[in-house]
Amino acid sequence: MRNWLLISGLTSAMLAMSATPLYAAEKTMAQTSHYAYVGTYNPNGEGVYRFKFDPKTGALTDRVLASQLPNQAQMVASHDGKTLFIGNEIDNFNGGKNGAIAAYKINPQDGSLTLINQVDSQGAGPVYLSLTPKGDHLLVANYISGVVATFPVDASGKLGEASDHQQDSGAPGAAKPEAAAPGSFAASDHNGPHAHMIATDPSGKFVFSTDLGLDRIYQWKLDSASGKLEANDPPFINASSAGAGPRHFVFHPNGKVVFLINEEASTLTSYRFDSAKGTLTQLHVLSSLPANFKGTNFAAGLVLSKDGHHLYVANRLHNSIAQINVTGEGAMTFAEEAWTRGDYPRTLTFSPDGKYIYAMNQRSDNITRFKVADKSGKLTFVDDYTAVGSPSQMVIVP
């Protein structure tokens, strides 16, 4: 379910704001400093905020508004940490009907952002950005219009015009998710195509994209030279249940299994990945909610520990982080849940060392932090709230 905060009064003039950073450089900062960038939704959030990140304690401090374009909610950092790509989740870029993607240079001295360039996202409402393993192409999922697109990235971080874009099409999925908890009213946006995520496999040869509205996971072949997408065989597979609403997914470190969260059904589905063909085969399904839960929930972001043992899922309305123990064969077991101490957790972010998890609590305008136990993966709340309006996503870079 999208919580659209598209403000009609925000015109394309805002998108053409100066590339000059919106805050002054700090006096002195070591090259090894870490920064966290938080994308937000208007009006509570004003753009992208930069925080100082303490790698020892996990604390976020010194909040500064680093970029001020409308609904800068989705982003990804380049592999070398020198560029930040940010999506404007809008539908009126330059007076048209699409969103926008911007590339920013990161100043290692103070974490400030300088606009490199901005391009049309090729669809409305870009909600997910990812990079190929080589970092030479950016992949974008546009939710409102159901379009996925690829963009070349040069050595300076500049975005080229789209290499390719593909429009999802087909019959909408079931309006009511059949696998949802009893009493659930989690029914939204099964009215047409709504692309929700796009990313490559570990090799970069294949691409998968989810469509919540059509209840499909699309399977693509990627031409690494041209950035063109070619439909695989089969071109898509259906969601694990009617009306499930496929959202986000993550590869296991062994590269053989994919875990996917279904937003409307609040279920996890594991798939076997055929690295030769680039296709998925369903394995298991598990609820992201406690066994006795009844009512409405929208599952959201998910992250997997580096060792591949613990999967964490954000549950919106239930306002919890579910810990799911998983294996490299795709087995899943519900371990426990942790209350987010906030409302409507949209995404989760691991600290670079995997010792902390952060929840972006969109409706309570804060970020909460949890310590991750070394072996069990159990989460313990750190009593240190970070205030930020309508947080959507956080990226931490050195």
Side-chain angles (χ1 to χ4, degrees), residues 155-304:
S156 71
K158 182 179 180 179
L159 289 164
E161 293 301 316
S163 307
D164 197 6
H165 67 279
Q166 300 283 343
Q167 172 69 63
D168 296 351
S169 63
K176 184 177 177 58
E178 66 177 17
S184 174
F185 285 87
S188 69
D189 290 347
H190 278 93
N191 56 2
H194 293 297
H196 220 316
M197 177 177 171
I198 182 169
T200 74
D201 76 308
S203 75
K205 296 178 181 179
F206 303 103
V207 169
F208 296 97
S209 61
T210 58
D211 194 297
L212 180 146
L214 304 184
D215 275 339
R216 291 176 177 178
I217 300 100
Y218 282 89
Q219 305 181 134
W220 307 94
K221 297 177 182 178
L222 176 65
D223 185 318
S224 60
S226 67
K228 296 288 186 180
L229 295 170
E230 177 188 351
N232 207 336
D233 183 17
F236 63 85
I237 59 173
N238 292 321
S240 55
S241 61
R247 184 181 173 94
H248 290 178
F249 58 87
V250 62
F251 273 82
H252 189 273
N254 67 13
K256 298 178 181 179
V257 171
V258 172
F259 298 99
L260 180 147
I261 189 68
N262 297 293
E263 179 176 322
E264 312 294 311
S266 293
T267 55
L268 279 161
T269 309
S270 63
Y271 297 88
R272 179 183 298 109
F273 171 59
D274 186 325
S275 60
K277 297 179 180 179
T279 55
L280 302 177
T281 302
Q282 183 176 318
L283 294 172
H284 308 290
V285 179
L286 179 74
S287 176
S288 67
L289 294 162
N292 294 323
F293 177 82
K294 295 179 177 63
T296 302
N297 180 74
F298 296 94
L302 78 168
V303 290
L304 182 63

Side-chain angles (χ1 to χ4, degrees), residues 90 94 226 228 355 388:
I90 58 173
N94 281 346
S226 67
K228 296 288 186 180
K355 294 182 178 180
V388 61

Side-chain angles (χ1 to χ4, degrees), residues 128-148:
Y128 199 93
L129 283 65
S130 66
L131 287 163
T132 56
K134 293 181 180 179
D136 56 354
H137 282 90
L138 181 74
L139 311 182
V140 177
N142 293 283
Y143 184 87
I144 298 177
S145 57
V147 173
V148 295

